[in-house]
């Protein structure tokens, strides 16, 4: 039941809820983000079509992503829907919750390392939210852009140092773009020409570029970057230089793109 000062969800909001009790007419749930506030998931809102058994779709103790359909603050009634939540909304909400949980864990680590009080952490959160939507986003920003991104927040030196240390636990997001290069060179030392052309084209980018020999005349070139724009910017000069060198040695060059991949931050 909601108290007078308790925050209530808004109609249309996507929430995380824990199933607490099943009935013939639906399921009672507690809203995880609203201090366990009770809501009700009617049988007609569980799945499309006729639902014969509630327990076939939801079980006690299970967490579900639900849509808030109706809120009656006077009677503390919150009606929810499972069937109106799309897969995309579900995925987005679960990622958001994961981000929040990670942020909490990392802040606890900062608290321990810097020797901060609960009050210090509350103040720190307020400062973080002045720039970021999620606490976790701050740590991710530090990983991808460096600790200098926090300069404008004017945090204490020991706090900045702790944030920097905790940020090293994050594996930054990355993308992979790749393709097959078909390279031929009919010179007597053609294999060496191709090998040197590849090494020369990659140059200082070797930490982000991988070349695998598939079988004459094919080579797979894979480039990793923090986003597609960065990866594309790395790939283009490599291909241009490779083509120029191969054709200068009277060889042929062709590049065919393969499907790109994106990895999540960890």
């Amino acid at each position: 039941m909601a108290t007078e000062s308790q925050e209530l969800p808004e109609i249309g909001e996507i929430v995380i809820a824990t199933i607490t009790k099943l009935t013939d007419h639906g399921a009672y749930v507690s809203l995880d983000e609203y201090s366990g506030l009770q809501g009700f998931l009617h049988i007609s809102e569980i799945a499309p079509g006729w639902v014969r058994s509630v327990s076939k779709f939801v079980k006690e103790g299970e967490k579900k992503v639900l849509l808030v359909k109706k809120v009656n603050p006077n009677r503390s009634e919150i009606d929810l829907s499972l069937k109106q939540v799309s897969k995309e909304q579900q995925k987005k909400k679960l990622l958001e919750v994961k981000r929040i949980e990670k942020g909490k864990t990392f802040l606890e680590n900062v608290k321990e390392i810097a020797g901060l009080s609960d009050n210090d952490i509350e103040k720190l959160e307020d400062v973080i939210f002045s720039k970021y939507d999620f606490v976790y986003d701050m740590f991710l920003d530090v990983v991808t852009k460096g600790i200098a991104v926090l300069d404008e927040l004017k945090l204490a030196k020991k706090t900045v140092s702790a944030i920097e240390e905790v940020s090293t636990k994050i594996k930054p997001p990355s993308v992979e773009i790749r393709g097959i290069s078909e390279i031929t060179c009919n010179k007597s030392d053609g294999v060496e020409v191709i090998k040197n052309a590849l090494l020369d084209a990659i140059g200082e980018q070797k930490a982000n570029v991988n070349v695998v020999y598939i079988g004459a005349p094919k080579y797979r070139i894979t480039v990793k970057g923090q986003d597609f724009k960065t990866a594309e910017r790395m790939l283009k000069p490599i291909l241009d230089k490779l083509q120029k060198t191969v054709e200068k040695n009277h060889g042929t060059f062709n590049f065919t793109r393969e499907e790109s991949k994106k990895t999540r931050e960890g």
Side-chain angles (χ1 to χ4, degrees), residues 19-20 22 54-64:
I19 309 296
T20 55
L22 302 185
V54 174
S55 61
K56 186 181 175 183
F57 296 91
V58 294
K59 293 176 173 53
E60 286 185 16
E62 197 175 30
K63 289 191 184 294
K64 291 289 183 183

Side-chain angles (χ1 to χ4, degrees), residues 59-71:
K59 293 176 173 53
E60 286 185 16
E62 197 175 30
K63 289 191 184 294
K64 291 289 183 183
V65 178
L66 306 174
L67 171 77
V68 178
K69 276 199 72 187
K70 181 183 171 187
V71 178

Side-chain angles (χ1 to χ4, degrees), residues 23-258:
T23 74
D24 291 339
H25 303 294
Y28 286 98
V29 307
S30 62
L31 306 186
D32 292 16
E33 299 146 294
Y34 290 89
S35 305
L37 184 65
Q38 185 177 274
F40 188 68
L41 175 63
H42 193 268
I43 191 168
S44 64
E45 290 297 331
I46 288 177
W50 183 53
V51 175
R52 188 174 176 181
S53 171
V54 174
S55 61
K56 186 181 175 183
F57 296 91
V58 294
K59 293 176 173 53
E60 286 185 16
E62 197 175 30
K63 289 191 184 294
K64 291 289 183 183
V65 178
L66 306 174
L67 171 77
V68 178
K69 276 199 72 187
K70 181 183 171 187
V71 178
N72 186 336
N74 299 324
R75 297 178 62 185
S76 306
E77 289 179 349
I78 298 168
D79 293 338
L80 303 144
S81 175
L82 174 60
K83 73 177 184 182
Q84 291 185 44
V85 178
S86 68
K87 284 186 178 179
E88 192 56 41
Q89 286 173 315
Q90 185 179 39
K91 185 180 173 185
K92 186 180 177 184
K93 185 64 183 179
L94 291 172
L95 284 173
E96 183 183 301
V97 169
K98 193 177 177 184
R99 232 174 175 79
I100 291 168
E101 290 304 314
K102 280 183 176 180
K104 282 180 184 175
T105 301
F106 289 155
L107 266 190
E108 275 299 312
N109 292 341
V110 169
K111 181 184 175 185
E112 287 175 27
I113 294 167
L116 302 178
S117 65
D118 289 342
N119 192 42
D120 291 333
I121 288 294
E122 278 184 33
K123 287 178 181 176
L124 176 57
E125 278 186 304
D126 288 341
V127 173
I128 293 169
F129 288 132
S130 71
K131 183 177 180 181
Y132 300 97
D133 292 332
F134 296 95
V135 170
Y136 181 73
D137 290 351
M138 175 197 67
F139 291 98
L140 189 59
D141 208 20
V142 169
V143 170
T144 54
K145 298 175 186 173
I147 197 67
V149 294
L150 301 186
D151 288 352
E152 65 189 86
L153 300 183
K154 295 180 170 53
L155 300 173
K157 198 172 181 180
K158 65 176 182 178
T159 303
V160 172
S161 178
I163 289 171
E164 189 172 24
E165 185 179 330
V166 172
S167 297
T168 60
K169 297 178 182 180
I170 299 175
K171 182 184 176 184
S174 66
V175 300
E176 260 185 24
I177 56 174
R178 61 185 194 173
I180 304 293
S181 284
E182 292 186 42
I183 310 170
T184 65
C185 182
N186 294 324
K187 283 188 170 184
S188 57
D189 60 344
V191 174
E192 276 300 306
V193 169
I194 293 171
K195 181 182 173 183
N196 290 330
L198 283 164
L199 290 172
D200 187 44
I202 292 166
E204 295 177 0
Q205 298 287 0
K206 58 186 176 184
N208 302 308
V209 182
N210 185 40
V211 177
V212 177
Y213 175 64
I214 299 174
K218 296 180 178 180
Y219 300 80
R220 174 174 283 116
I221 299 177
T222 305
V223 176
K224 284 186 179 180
Q226 71 179 57
D227 52 54
F228 286 111
K229 195 175 179 180
T230 304
E232 290 286 358
R233 212 162 39 223
M234 283 192 280
L235 178 63
K236 190 177 184 305
I238 290 171
L239 296 181
D240 289 347
K241 194 168 187 179
L242 189 53
Q243 183 171 6
K244 191 176 178 181
T245 306
V246 170
E247 290 178 352
K248 188 180 175 181
N249 284 277
H250 309 291
T252 64
F253 174 85
N254 182 54
F255 182 75
T256 307
R257 293 292 288 264
E258 292 183 296

